[in-house]
Amino acid sequence: AAIFANLWKDWQKKKNKLPDSFLSQATRAEMKTDYMIIATALAQGATCIYSEDRKLKKFAEDHLKVVGLPTTYEQRTLGYDDK
């Protein structure tokens, strides 16, 4: 809870420096959810998280590295016959 409170406090200072177009895209509920994700990761000792969410990436930029999700490929069979 303390980590979240500190992150949220930092956000309140930082939001005035962000473009209005970015702020209008993120609802307060989305921001709180993203900050809870970041706070949980920090509390567990994470140094990065995997996400494609650009808003989460922006919120986390001063606290955690955010890495895009790895490319996945269609699962193929191994060619073994189960019979």
Side-chain angles (χ1 to χ4, degrees):
I3 294 172
F4 173 79
N6 288 333
L7 290 171
W8 192 252
K9 190 167 118 180
D10 288 346
W11 164 250
Q12 296 302 318
K13 293 177 190 174
K14 183 179 179 180
K15 73 178 182 179
N16 295 329
K17 298 174 187 167
L18 293 172
D20 290 337
S21 60
F22 180 81
L23 294 173
S24 66
Q25 295 175 6
T27 66
R28 183 176 170 90
E30 288 173 320
M31 288 187 285
K32 287 179 110 175
T33 300
D34 287 347
Y35 272 103
M36 288 300 287
I37 292 168
I38 297 164
T40 301
L42 290 170
Q44 294 299 315
T47 57
C48 79
I49 54 177
Y50 292 88
S51 178
E52 293 293 334
D53 186 326
R54 78 175 184 84
K55 291 180 255 179
L56 176 79
K57 187 174 187 174
K58 184 69 175 171
F59 298 145
E61 71 184 357
D62 295 333
H63 310 285
L64 281 172
K65 180 178 177 182
V66 179
V67 179
L69 298 171
T71 303
T72 58
Y73 299 95
E74 183 178 327
Q75 185 172 348
R76 298 182 178 174
T77 61
L78 295 175
Y80 296 110
D81 191 354
D82 290 338
K83 295 180 183 179

